[in-house]
Amino acid sequence: MGKLRPGEAEQLAPGHTGRRHPLQGLLLLLWTLLNCGLGDNAQGSGEWTPWGSWSRCSSSCGQGLSMRSRRCIRFPGEELCWGHTHEYRLCQLPDCPLGAVPFRDLQCALYNGHPVLGTQKTYLWVPFYGAPNQCDLNCLAEGHDFYHSFGRVLDGTPCSQGSPGLCVAGRCLSAGCDGLLGSGAREDRCGRCGGANDSCLFVQRVFRDAGAFAGYWNVTLIPEGARHIRAAHRSRNHLALMRGDGRYVLNGNWAVSPPGTYEAAGTRVVYTRATGREETLSAAGPTSQDLLLQVLLQEPNPGIEFEFWLPQELYSPFQAQAQALGWPLWQPQPREVEPRPPEPPAAPTVILHQTPTPTSDPCPPCPDTRGRAHRLLHYCGSDFVFRARVRGRLRQAQETRYEVRVQLIYKNRSPLRALEYVWAPSRCPCPVLALHREYLLAARRLISPDGTQDRLLLPHAGYARPWSPAEDSRVRLAAQHCPV
């Protein structure tokens, strides 16, 4: 395409006489010796001049192309330069206004009213897209059943309607990731143009936790910067996706979302669900913030496959963040509604959450404190709402003292320290807090009449729930509904 032919190469200036300067003879001898030592192909190829400037865009609006060129300089006996004399790149201008005539239509209209086909008859011409070569100017005679080819279309003409490719010298070329038409350059899985997947790591695992009860279970953290994300399983369970602020993208709050495309973390998430119980979730990325992949269990988990690519420099922070969250300490979110009955044919039995009371424990069972109303009542009526990890427990005469490390404060009417004591007014507190677990707690401040004691009190049957991103988002919503 546009290469210099041998006759077009630059030649040495003529006009020499038979006499040579002594230095010229020495240089000629040296050149001959070098060629003899290097063999028949010692001449090599010529050299390119530097690239010229890019031309103006071929279009005044929308998508077009820009061109630059260079020349091959070679001496007698040298081969042509390797490569092309011209390069083309995409140029993107503001969209064309509504009603603008497409570029191919304008080229066909140039032949309106002009005799063709060796007759004096004239026609009105419109583009015809059914011809074999889409980069020929194939135009259909309006009101007739034939078309005529007027040669090649002008460079920069779209190959077809809606096609990303452009015609260049009669060929349909698509732009690579470098913006050059016909380069064939592609992004690797790491997002690098022309890369070899050596700047990122491939994370691929199978989540096999069976789950102790029906509800939301964490599968994996999808960190910021992840690309080519995919998760799939085959069961009656449902994949759920949550943003970093606790809001669900799909299948959250016990509502099943329809299949489709969802916007999240700066990328498009494609969610599919087939009739054969196969469910997939995919996104090209890169993600602009962390996402949390969960599963809404309705039956035992047969396994959830997930994978994504992550830049090497982001993998260590991802590991540290996962460990800070206790990963893979899958934190369940208990169900607050009755599970749906299984569909025929009979599916495996849904595993419901039941906390058996040990026979050796004289404490009676705790009342059911689940539900939105209970959460809202205690959030709005408490002095403190915070997230904490239980470090120790001490049962005294008629009360239980928990030592907790405060990790996140949602509401406080006075300062909280990093380490606090939380008191429950019974040897059998409800609910019971397990050691080394994280909870969301709603506590009241209790000051004795003489001012000698200042305690954080966890009321009987109060708000104390295992922390999870889902419960975190519900607490934040509850804060919006408290009376002023």
Side-chain angles (χ1 to χ4, degrees), residues 429-441:
C430 284
V432 179
L433 304 186
L435 291 176
H436 311 300
R437 290 287 304 274
E438 289 185 14
Y439 292 86
L440 286 174
L441 304 174

Side-chain angles (χ1 to χ4, degrees), residues 212-287:
F213 47 79
Y216 286 95
W217 287 71
N218 296 339
V219 176
T220 184
L221 182 72
I222 302 175
E224 176 184 353
R227 293 176 178 267
H228 302 286
I229 305 158
R230 186 178 184 275
H233 73 107
R234 191 181 183 89
S235 69
R236 288 180 56 245
N237 304 323
H238 294 291
L239 297 173
L241 193 64
M242 177 187 287
R243 296 182 176 91
D245 59 2
R247 292 181 299 146
Y248 277 99
V249 178
L250 55 90
N251 291 343
N253 302 317
W254 306 99
V256 178
S257 306
T261 302
Y262 296 80
E263 298 285 340
T267 188
R268 292 185 175 181
V269 179
V270 179
Y271 171 58
T272 64
R273 187 171 61 248
T275 54
R277 295 186 178 182
E278 183 176 1
E279 191 178 46
T280 65
L281 183 152
S282 61
T287 52

Side-chain angles (χ1 to χ4, degrees), residues 453-464:
Q453 291 185 344
D454 186 354
R455 292 180 171 182
L456 295 181
L457 178 67
L458 183 64
H460 183 76
Y463 179 84

Side-chain angles (χ1 to χ4, degrees), residues 152-236:
R152 293 178 178 175
V153 295
L154 297 177
D155 287 349
T157 303
C159 301
S160 60
Q161 292 175 311
S163 169
L166 297 179
C167 291
V168 177
R171 293 191 301 155
C172 182
L173 301 179
S174 296
C177 58
D178 54 3
L180 298 179
L181 291 166
S183 70
R186 295 183 179 181
E187 283 190 352
D188 66 359
R189 310 300 281 184
C190 315
R192 289 193 175 185
C193 186
N197 298 332
D198 55 357
S199 63
C200 58
L201 297 174
F202 184 43
V203 179
Q204 184 181 43
R205 297 170 189 167
V206 179
F207 174 71
R208 299 190 183 278
D209 199 313
F213 47 79
Y216 286 95
W217 287 71
N218 296 339
V219 176
T220 184
L221 182 72
I222 302 175
E224 176 184 353
R227 293 176 178 267
H228 302 286
I229 305 158
R230 186 178 184 275
H233 73 107
R234 191 181 183 89
S235 69
R236 288 180 56 245

